[in-house]
Amino acid sequence: MSSRLTRGRSGSSVVGSADYLAPEARLGTCCPASDVWSAGMVLHALLVGFLPTWDADSDKVVIDLRGPQYASVSPGAKDLLLGLLEADPHQRLDAAAAAAHTWSKGLEVGGCLMQPDMTPTLTSFVSFHRSAKLRRAALTALAMQLTSQQLQRSREQFLLVDTDGNGRISKEELARSIALSAPGGGEDVRDFVESIFDSLDTDGSQEIEYTEWVAAALNEGAYQSEEALRSAFRIFDLDGDGTIDCSEIGRVMKQTPEEIAGFLPDFDANGDGVLDFEEFKKVFEHLLPGTGLTVTLGTTKLSL
């Protein structure tokens, strides 16, 4: 059905049904993109019930998505088909991009490709950006305690923003998604992403991983669950004595004793050198002063 390549070599052999072979494979030259084309032909057959036809004069596949045979095919599936059946192998979707496509992930609702509504998430990002390091660590701990159902919206949004499907969000992917959600943002989008990205990327990897995304995207309602807060508290309270001391904070946050001694008094209300549960809950309310920078993203103004 599909072309087969010899490992490590391009164009060494072409095996398979001619109807499924990519244009370059028909000429005797194969590459990894040739198998993507074959997958596109299979998908076309599954969606429509038959293979597209080849034009005898141009030796190109004829796909007219306006035709009645495509009426039942969703916009997302059509978009994926066009990417898979691109004649130029250099412009064709690769396997990773095809797997990360919105339709492949099942993130198409009512025949419409979902665009992420980033407004609530961006507001949470600003709050996270203005958080002290202890608050960021506490939010990360809290995010780890939430159920799959509670995280569903964040997960769907993360998948939409992660366009290459590698499980991490780059600065470019974040900027592109915000621009889609807030058209016309232009320079403000770039300024916003540059301002907040390092805060969201808590491990300094230059990419936002899923747990980092969830922690930064949490809205205030997530802090109201006593059970989730106590579970997050227990992540810090390593010895289970009901308080969090400097050494426990250091093991969770990888901060030096000097750094911890510098910020602990901001949260240690009674000055006993440790945080009890009530003091820990106050961590979630603590925001640093803003910088005075305001960006306008669509109809939303955000003050950093």
Side-chain angles (χ1 to χ4, degrees):
M1 180 182 294
S2 63
S3 58
R4 186 176 73 222
L5 303 180
T6 301
R7 183 180 297 276
R9 300 174 61 189
S10 176
S12 58
S13 64
V14 179
V15 179
S17 302
D19 288 342
Y20 294 87
L21 294 181
E24 67 277 4
R26 287 170 170 248
L27 298 175
T29 301
C30 279
C31 61
S34 304
D35 286 328
V36 173
W37 172 282
S38 299
M41 296 293 275
V42 173
L43 179 62
H44 188 285
L46 291 171
L47 291 172
V48 186
F50 54 85
L51 294 176
T53 58
W54 288 84
D55 181 76
D57 296 328
S58 64
D59 199 31
K60 292 182 179 178
V61 161
V62 179
I63 302 179
D64 183 2
L65 295 178
R66 298 166 297 179
Q69 65 270 37
Y70 296 100
S72 62
V73 180
S74 72
K78 290 178 180 178
D79 183 70
L80 179 58
L81 274 177
L82 290 177
L84 296 174
L85 298 178
E86 163 61 50
D88 183 350
H90 301 292
Q91 299 297 320
R92 196 174 300 152
L93 286 179
D94 61 23
H101 192 277
T102 306
W103 185 84
S104 301
K105 292 179 175 180
L107 297 175
E108 186 178 22
V109 176
C112 297
L113 290 177
M114 295 169 59
Q115 292 294 348
D117 176 11
M118 298 289 288
T119 303
T121 301
L122 297 182
T123 302
S124 296
F125 282 176
V126 171
S127 174
F128 192 84
H129 169 68
R130 292 178 54 193
S131 297
K133 287 184 178 180
L134 181 57
R135 184 178 190 269
R136 294 178 193 170
L139 285 168
T140 302
L142 178 60
M144 295 167 62
Q145 308 310 309
L146 300 180
T147 66
S148 302
Q149 185 175 0
Q150 289 171 310
L151 294 176
Q152 182 177 351
R153 185 178 180 278
S154 288
R155 178 180 178 276
E156 290 176 351
Q157 194 172 70
F158 181 89
L159 291 172
L160 284 167
V161 177
D162 177 26
T163 53
D164 64 6
N166 69 348
R168 301 178 299 278
I169 293 174
S170 67
K171 189 178 292 186
E172 293 72 23
E173 286 175 321
L174 181 59
R176 186 162 54 245
S177 293
I178 294 175
L180 287 172
S181 177
E187 196 67 35
D188 272 358
V189 170
R190 288 187 288 274
D191 288 345
F192 180 80
V193 173
E194 288 292 338
S195 297
I196 69 165
F197 193 86
D198 288 345
S199 299
L200 309 185
D201 174 27
T202 53
D203 65 0
S205 66
Q206 301 304 305
E207 293 179 304
I208 301 171
E209 298 169 2
Y210 179 61
T211 301
E212 292 173 328
W213 175 276
V214 172
L218 285 177
N219 57 45
E220 189 174 347
Y223 316 161
Q224 296 174 358
S225 166
E226 186 88 358
E227 182 180 355
L229 287 172
R230 286 196 177 277
S231 296
F233 180 80
R234 285 193 288 270
I235 290 180
F236 285 85
D237 182 19
L238 299 174
D239 62 8
D241 68 350
T243 62
I244 302 170
D245 61 30
C246 290
S247 65
E248 289 171 320
I249 293 174
R251 278 182 280 176
V252 173
M253 295 182 59
K254 309 302 184 203
Q255 300 286 299
T256 67
E258 292 76 18
E259 289 172 322
I260 296 169
F263 64 67
L264 187 62
D266 293 335
F267 308 98
D268 180 18
N270 61 11
D272 62 356
V274 296
L275 300 182
D276 58 29
F277 180 62
E278 292 303 316
E279 290 169 328
F280 179 76
K281 289 197 294 185
K282 295 293 184 181
V283 169
F284 292 92
E285 303 171 5
H286 190 86
L287 293 180
L288 299 174
T291 63
L293 174 65
T294 299
V295 297
T296 302
L297 304 176
T299 59
T300 304
K301 287 189 176 183
L302 298 170
S303 299
L304 301 176

